[in-house]
Amino acid sequence: MSYKCSRCKRDVTLDEYGGVRCPYCGHRVLLKERSPDVKEVDVK
């Protein structure tokens, strides 16, 4: 799954044992990227 670092804005892919930290700048806040798909909900 792809994430984006909130400090350096680089794409980050987390591995299973690497922890939650940007490998480029060390920042711990990563943002999950949203899919470009638009979902519609039926409202009754």
Side-chain angles (χ1 to χ4, degrees), residues 4-42:
K4 187 168 283 216
C5 176
S6 66
R7 180 183 286 165
C8 68
K9 308 292 188 229
R10 294 177 92 173
D11 290 329
V12 176
T13 303
L14 299 181
D15 59 355
E16 190 172 330
Y17 303 104
V20 181
R21 192 176 285 265
C22 176
Y24 305 106
C25 70
H27 197 60
R28 296 186 70 187
V29 178
L30 301 177
L31 306 172
K32 185 175 177 183
E33 294 194 5
R34 294 179 182 236
S35 70
D37 299 337
V38 176
K39 297 180 181 178
E40 294 183 19
V41 178
D42 246 356

